[in-house]
Structure formats: C-alpha cells, structure tokens
Amino acid sequence: MELRAKLLVDGVLSGIHKSPYKGSSIEFLEHKEYSPGNEIKHIDWKVLAKTDRYYIKQFEEETNLKCYIFIDSSGSMGYKSTGISKFEYAATLAASLAYLLLKQSDLVGLISFSDKALQYIPPRSRLTHLHVLLNALTELKTAGRSDTSAILNEFVEKIGRRSLIIIISDFFDDTKKIIHQLKYFLFKKNEVILFHILDPYELTFPFETITFFESMEDERRILADPKSMKDQYLSEINHFIEQFRQSCFENQIDYWLIDSSTPLDQALIKFLARRETSLRPTHKG
C-alpha cells in the first residue's frame, strides 16, 4: 500500500498539484511600528530595548492544515465483483491523500469505523507519521454494520474549527442522519469532502441467472431472479445517489462518486484538477 500510494503521488500527481488546501502556520513575517489598537502581546521587547521604539511582530497567514480521514470498514466495504474490494480501494485512496498532505507538512489523522470507532490516530505532520497510518490501514478488516452518523456525533466535539474532514465510504447508511451530523462540522467552519465508493456491479447490476444475494452486514439472504428486479434496483440505486449528491450540494459538501473499477490515478487527477479550479481566484475584467 505504501508503494502504491507513493508511486501514485510522486509519479502521477507531482507537478499537477501542489496544495489544494488552505490552513494555518505561525511563521514570523516582519516588524511593524506599534499603533493604538494593536495587541500588546505582539510587541517585540528586544527591539524596544535596542531602539527605544515600539514595534509589533507580524506573522504569515497560517498555511498548515489539519485533516481527519474517516474510513468505513463495515462489512459491505469488503464487497468486490472483480479486481479489488471497495475497502482496498478506499484504503489506497486514504493512504495517497495522507501522503500528499504530509508532504505539504499538513497534519493528518485517521478514524476507522463501522458502527463504532475502531481506531483513532490523532493528526501529526511528520512524514514518518505515514507509516503509523499505513500500519493502521493494513491491519483493518471489514466486518459489521456501519453507523456513520453515530461516529460523526462522537467526534464533532473532539475536532476543532477549520479542519478538513474527509469521509470514504459506500454510504449504505441513513444519509439524512449523516448530512444532519455533518452540518455541525460545517457550522464550525470545517470543510467536508465525501468519497462515495461503489463497485461497478452495484452501479450496473449485470447479473443474469438466479442468484443468492447475501447481506455482508447481517444475516439477510434471498434467492432472486435478477432480470425481474434489475429495472427497480437501478431506479432505486440511482435515486439514492442523486438524492445524496443533491443534499451534499445544498449544504456545500464536496461529493465524489467513484466506481471502484476506475484507476485510482485517474480518479485522483480528476478530483485534484477540479479542486484547483474551484479554489483558483476569479478575476473580473
């Protein structure tokens, strides 16, 4: 996973993307003569001792970002029709984003969850922190139900303001409750990005013969003729996706649907290119 993430970021994304995020730092910028209204705590007392004049320190705008990556490891994420599972795809995506952010000296934390938080790794900015995150992702096994809104409710008080919240999941969950919980993060000026990972068979339902369909999160199991239910299934999955996408749009949540058969480099390049465009200042002539 480490090799895939580094090859992806260094080999494909290098030069295309530098920093699509904004955050904070405390680098000293310059001195400015004190004037009434300036905060006394910023007076440089050493300069006062040398010059007998009051100057205050100015700092660069903060540039380091704090990011929390939530990754769903519930049972349904283990599904795969061909190639890799949704979880394997999600884990590589999480590793690539973490590496990209750490290379920019941003802070990255990780929360894995099903219907409860399984792991919480606090944000750190050292590049060596990548190994901690990768080890955690490698050890994860998919199992159990998902309850994303409960996890968000648990972390809304732990996560401060102006952070980047990334959630990677198939979102086979109560999306109204998820949006409701995400509003609390948005209220605290956090930015939210959702990566909605679905298998190509979940999107196209190409089954032809009588098939047993088994839930990967509970004991439900039915024998069905897929041809007789294909139209209804596609109607419902497309309605689910569009309703979720619209709710995200109305709440200024960045939503990305990714078919897990899409090469990850292509998916990331498309995401970063559109993100850079959306962050670029507009000029009026």
Side-chain angles (χ1 to χ4, degrees):
M1 184 184 299
E2 179 176 359
L3 182 61
R4 287 203 302 270
K6 288 186 173 180
L7 283 174
L8 184 65
V9 173
D10 291 335
V12 180
L13 302 180
S14 177
I16 295 175
H17 160 77
K18 187 168 183 181
S19 175
Y21 308 109
K22 292 181 179 178
S24 47
S25 96
I26 51 172
E27 291 293 324
F28 171 72
L29 180 63
E30 62 182 1
H31 284 105
K32 176 186 173 185
E33 193 164 4
Y34 175 82
S35 60
N38 292 140
E39 290 192 41
I40 294 174
K41 67 179 181 181
H42 289 153
I43 291 176
D44 191 324
W45 301 106
K46 291 182 179 178
V47 173
L48 174 64
K50 292 179 181 177
T51 66
D52 204 28
R53 299 182 67 174
Y54 289 91
Y55 284 90
I56 60 171
K57 293 179 178 178
Q58 287 191 310
F59 298 86
E60 287 182 325
E61 184 182 4
E62 294 192 324
T63 55
N64 291 347
L65 174 78
K66 188 178 288 185
C67 174
Y68 295 84
I69 299 176
F70 289 75
I71 184 167
D72 179 0
S73 63
S74 63
S76 64
M77 290 293 287
Y79 179 70
K80 67 175 179 180
S81 55
T82 57
I84 64 173
S85 72
K86 290 183 287 184
F87 180 76
E88 290 168 326
Y89 195 95
T92 306
L93 173 60
S96 301
L97 291 170
Y99 181 49
L100 183 65
L101 290 163
L102 289 169
K103 282 188 70 177
Q104 299 173 174
S105 300
D106 293 324
L107 295 88
V108 183
L110 180 73
I111 299 104
S112 60
F113 68 94
S114 54
D115 58 349
K116 59 185 177 184
L118 303 173
Q119 294 172 313
Y120 170 52
I121 300 174
R124 299 284 186 272
S125 62
R126 293 188 299 273
L127 197 53
T128 53
H129 185 54
L130 181 66
H131 296 293
V132 178
L133 301 175
L134 291 174
N135 287 338
L137 289 168
T138 303
E139 291 174 1
L140 282 171
K141 306 294 181 188
T142 54
R145 294 172 176 268
S146 63
D147 191 343
T148 311
S149 62
I151 304 306
L152 294 173
N153 182 55
E154 180 180 341
F155 278 87
V156 70
E157 295 300 329
K158 296 179 182 175
I159 295 178
R161 297 168 60 86
R162 299 184 184 282
S163 297
L164 175 63
I165 312 297
I166 294 175
I167 305 175
I168 308 173
S169 171
D170 58 14
F171 293 108
F172 287 149
D173 208 332
D174 188 331
T175 55
K176 288 184 179 178
K177 286 186 177 179
I178 294 172
I179 295 292
H180 178 76
Q181 288 297 331
L182 288 175
K183 288 180 180 178
Y184 292 106
F185 289 90
L186 296 168
F187 180 76
K188 293 167 70 177
K189 308 295 184 187
N190 293 298
E191 182 179 4
V192 178
I193 301 173
L194 305 185
F195 287 101
H196 192 177
I197 312 296
L198 291 176
D199 185 272
Y201 275 33
E202 292 172 332
L203 291 165
T204 60
F205 205 71
F207 305 99
E208 295 286 341
T209 58
I210 302 291
T211 306
F212 264 115
F213 294 93
E214 299 180 19
S215 169
M216 300 180 74
E217 299 192 0
D218 56 33
E219 301 302 318
R220 287 176 295 172
R221 186 170 187 257
I222 62 168
L223 180 65
D225 176 8
K227 290 183 179 178
S228 66
M229 56 190 287
K230 181 171 183 175
D231 288 346
Q232 184 180 355
Y233 171 86
L234 290 177
S235 174
E236 291 192 10
I237 191 74
N238 288 327
H239 178 69
F240 165 69
I241 292 169
E242 285 309 312
Q243 200 170 44
F244 192 29
R245 190 201 308 270
Q246 183 63 26
S247 295
C248 290
F249 175 77
E250 290 171 357
N251 289 283
Q252 297 185 310
I253 295 168
D254 203 353
Y255 170 89
W256 286 84
L257 172 65
I258 300 179
D259 177 333
S260 61
S261 65
T262 305
L264 188 51
D265 57 346
Q266 292 182 19
L268 266 177
I269 287 171
K270 188 176 178 182
F271 163 70
L272 293 171
R274 199 188 79 172
R275 190 169 176 82
E276 284 190 343
T277 301
S278 67
L279 291 175
R280 191 175 299 149
T282 57
H283 301 281
K284 296 181 179 180

mmCIF file of all heavy atoms in Angstrom, residues 85-102:
data_model
loop_
_atom_site.group_PDB
_atom_site.id
_atom_site.type_symbol
_atom_site.label_atom_id
_atom_site.label_comp_id
_atom_site.label_asym_id
_atom_site.label_seq_id
_atom_site.Cartn_x
_atom_site.Cartn_y
_atom_site.Cartn_z
ATOM 1 N N SER A 85 -11.476 -4.880 -3.692
ATOM 2 C CA SER A 85 -12.708 -4.558 -2.963
ATOM 3 C C SER A 85 -12.827 -3.043 -2.778
ATOM 4 O O SER A 85 -11.859 -2.300 -2.933
ATOM 5 C CB SER A 85 -12.704 -5.247 -1.597
ATOM 6 O OG SER A 85 -11.764 -4.623 -0.743
ATOM 7 N N LYS A 86 -14.035 -2.638 -2.397
ATOM 8 C CA LYS A 86 -14.251 -1.210 -2.119
ATOM 9 C C LYS A 86 -13.334 -0.742 -0.994
ATOM 10 O O LYS A 86 -12.811 0.373 -1.031
ATOM 11 C CB LYS A 86 -15.717 -0.964 -1.744
ATOM 12 C CG LYS A 86 -16.688 -1.115 -2.881
ATOM 13 C CD LYS A 86 -18.103 -0.773 -2.449
ATOM 14 C CE LYS A 86 -18.686 -1.847 -1.564
ATOM 15 N NZ LYS A 86 -20.108 -1.562 -1.205
ATOM 16 N N PHE A 87 -13.125 -1.608 0.003
ATOM 17 C CA PHE A 87 -12.273 -1.193 1.110
ATOM 18 C C PHE A 87 -10.817 -1.058 0.678
ATOM 19 O O PHE A 87 -10.127 -0.112 1.085
ATOM 20 C CB PHE A 87 -12.370 -2.159 2.291
ATOM 21 C CG PHE A 87 -11.485 -1.736 3.422
ATOM 22 C CD1 PHE A 87 -11.855 -0.692 4.242
ATOM 23 C CD2 PHE A 87 -10.251 -2.333 3.621
ATOM 24 C CE1 PHE A 87 -11.020 -0.242 5.252
ATOM 25 C CE2 PHE A 87 -9.415 -1.902 4.626
ATOM 26 C CZ PHE A 87 -9.800 -0.847 5.448
ATOM 27 N N GLU A 88 -10.338 -2.006 -0.136
ATOM 28 C CA GLU A 88 -8.951 -1.910 -0.607
ATOM 29 C C GLU A 88 -8.757 -0.622 -1.415
ATOM 30 O O GLU A 88 -7.730 0.051 -1.297
ATOM 31 C CB GLU A 88 -8.608 -3.133 -1.459
ATOM 32 C CG GLU A 88 -8.514 -4.421 -0.654
ATOM 33 C CD GLU A 88 -8.458 -5.664 -1.511
ATOM 34 O OE1 GLU A 88 -9.096 -5.701 -2.592
ATOM 35 O OE2 GLU A 88 -7.771 -6.619 -1.118
ATOM 36 N N TYR A 89 -9.763 -0.301 -2.210
ATOM 37 C CA TYR A 89 -9.703 0.940 -2.994
ATOM 38 C C TYR A 89 -9.696 2.152 -2.051
ATOM 39 O O TYR A 89 -8.892 3.090 -2.202
ATOM 40 C CB TYR A 89 -10.908 1.002 -3.928
ATOM 41 C CG TYR A 89 -10.820 2.027 -5.032
ATOM 42 C CD1 TYR A 89 -10.364 1.672 -6.300
ATOM 43 C CD2 TYR A 89 -11.218 3.351 -4.827
ATOM 44 C CE1 TYR A 89 -10.298 2.601 -7.335
ATOM 45 C CE2 TYR A 89 -11.152 4.280 -5.841
ATOM 46 C CZ TYR A 89 -10.698 3.909 -7.101
ATOM 47 O OH TYR A 89 -10.624 4.838 -8.116
ATOM 48 N N ALA A 90 -10.601 2.118 -1.056
ATOM 49 C CA ALA A 90 -10.715 3.232 -0.107
ATOM 50 C C ALA A 90 -9.429 3.407 0.701
ATOM 51 O O ALA A 90 -8.986 4.536 0.956
ATOM 52 C CB ALA A 90 -11.895 2.990 0.820
ATOM 53 N N ALA A 91 -8.834 2.292 1.108
ATOM 54 C CA ALA A 91 -7.607 2.367 1.917
ATOM 55 C C ALA A 91 -6.454 2.963 1.102
ATOM 56 O O ALA A 91 -5.664 3.763 1.626
ATOM 57 C CB ALA A 91 -7.241 0.976 2.432
ATOM 58 N N THR A 92 -6.346 2.572 -0.162
ATOM 59 C CA THR A 92 -5.289 3.145 -1.003
ATOM 60 C C THR A 92 -5.545 4.628 -1.254
ATOM 61 O O THR A 92 -4.607 5.439 -1.280
ATOM 62 C CB THR A 92 -5.201 2.388 -2.346
ATOM 63 O OG1 THR A 92 -5.055 0.993 -2.081
ATOM 64 C CG2 THR A 92 -4.014 2.852 -3.162
ATOM 65 N N LEU A 93 -6.800 4.987 -1.427
ATOM 66 C CA LEU A 93 -7.150 6.402 -1.581
ATOM 67 C C LEU A 93 -6.770 7.185 -0.320
ATOM 68 O O LEU A 93 -6.160 8.263 -0.406
ATOM 69 C CB LEU A 93 -8.648 6.535 -1.858
ATOM 70 C CG LEU A 93 -9.230 7.953 -1.888
ATOM 71 C CD1 LEU A 93 -8.562 8.795 -2.985
ATOM 72 C CD2 LEU A 93 -10.748 7.902 -2.115
ATOM 73 N N ALA A 94 -7.103 6.630 0.847
ATOM 74 C CA ALA A 94 -6.772 7.291 2.119
ATOM 75 C C ALA A 94 -5.256 7.439 2.260
ATOM 76 O O ALA A 94 -4.756 8.500 2.678
ATOM 77 C CB ALA A 94 -7.338 6.493 3.286
ATOM 78 N N ALA A 95 -4.504 6.381 1.924
ATOM 79 C CA ALA A 95 -3.048 6.430 2.032
ATOM 80 C C ALA A 95 -2.458 7.478 1.091
ATOM 81 O O ALA A 95 -1.538 8.221 1.460
ATOM 82 C CB ALA A 95 -2.469 5.042 1.718
ATOM 83 N N SER A 96 -2.986 7.558 -0.111
ATOM 84 C CA SER A 96 -2.476 8.531 -1.088
ATOM 85 C C SER A 96 -2.756 9.964 -0.640
ATOM 86 O O SER A 96 -1.886 10.840 -0.738
ATOM 87 C CB SER A 96 -3.125 8.277 -2.460
ATOM 88 O OG SER A 96 -2.842 6.975 -2.907
ATOM 89 N N LEU A 97 -3.967 10.216 -0.149
ATOM 90 C CA LEU A 97 -4.297 11.559 0.332
ATOM 91 C C LEU A 97 -3.444 11.930 1.541
ATOM 92 O O LEU A 97 -2.972 13.069 1.668
ATOM 93 C CB LEU A 97 -5.786 11.639 0.689
ATOM 94 C CG LEU A 97 -6.760 11.558 -0.488
ATOM 95 C CD1 LEU A 97 -8.199 11.395 0.013
ATOM 96 C CD2 LEU A 97 -6.657 12.812 -1.361
ATOM 97 N N ALA A 98 -3.230 10.957 2.440
ATOM 98 C CA ALA A 98 -2.402 11.213 3.623
ATOM 99 C C ALA A 98 -0.975 11.569 3.211
ATOM 100 O O ALA A 98 -0.383 12.526 3.724
ATOM 101 C CB ALA A 98 -2.413 9.991 4.532
ATOM 102 N N TYR A 99 -0.425 10.806 2.284
ATOM 103 C CA TYR A 99 0.948 11.073 1.826
ATOM 104 C C TYR A 99 1.039 12.441 1.161
ATOM 105 O O TYR A 99 1.980 13.211 1.403
ATOM 106 C CB TYR A 99 1.364 9.975 0.853
ATOM 107 C CG TYR A 99 2.770 10.113 0.312
ATOM 108 C CD1 TYR A 99 3.848 10.342 1.158
ATOM 109 C CD2 TYR A 99 3.022 10.020 -1.052
ATOM 110 C CE1 TYR A 99 5.138 10.486 0.666
ATOM 111 C CE2 TYR A 99 4.316 10.151 -1.556
ATOM 112 C CZ TYR A 99 5.365 10.385 -0.702
ATOM 113 O OH TYR A 99 6.639 10.531 -1.179
ATOM 114 N N LEU A 100 0.067 12.763 0.343
ATOM 115 C CA LEU A 100 0.042 14.058 -0.338
ATOM 116 C C LEU A 100 0.013 15.207 0.673
ATOM 117 O O LEU A 100 0.764 16.185 0.553
ATOM 118 C CB LEU A 100 -1.195 14.125 -1.233
ATOM 119 C CG LEU A 100 -1.377 15.371 -2.096
ATOM 120 C CD1 LEU A 100 -0.270 15.449 -3.133
ATOM 121 C CD2 LEU A 100 -2.734 15.332 -2.795
ATOM 122 N N LEU A 101 -0.818 15.083 1.700
ATOM 123 C CA LEU A 101 -0.944 16.138 2.702
ATOM 124 C C LEU A 101 0.302 16.219 3.586
ATOM 125 O O LEU A 101 0.772 17.310 3.915
ATOM 126 C CB LEU A 101 -2.192 15.893 3.558
ATOM 127 C CG LEU A 101 -3.511 16.107 2.817
ATOM 128 C CD1 LEU A 101 -4.666 15.453 3.568
ATOM 129 C CD2 LEU A 101 -3.788 17.591 2.630
ATOM 130 N N LEU A 102 0.844 15.077 3.977
ATOM 131 C CA LEU A 102 2.045 15.078 4.826
ATOM 132 C C LEU A 102 3.237 15.684 4.091
ATOM 133 O O LEU A 102 4.088 16.345 4.703
ATOM 134 C CB LEU A 102 2.368 13.657 5.285
ATOM 135 C CG LEU A 102 1.392 13.062 6.312
ATOM 136 C CD1 LEU A 102 1.647 11.575 6.502
ATOM 137 C CD2 LEU A 102 1.513 13.787 7.655
#
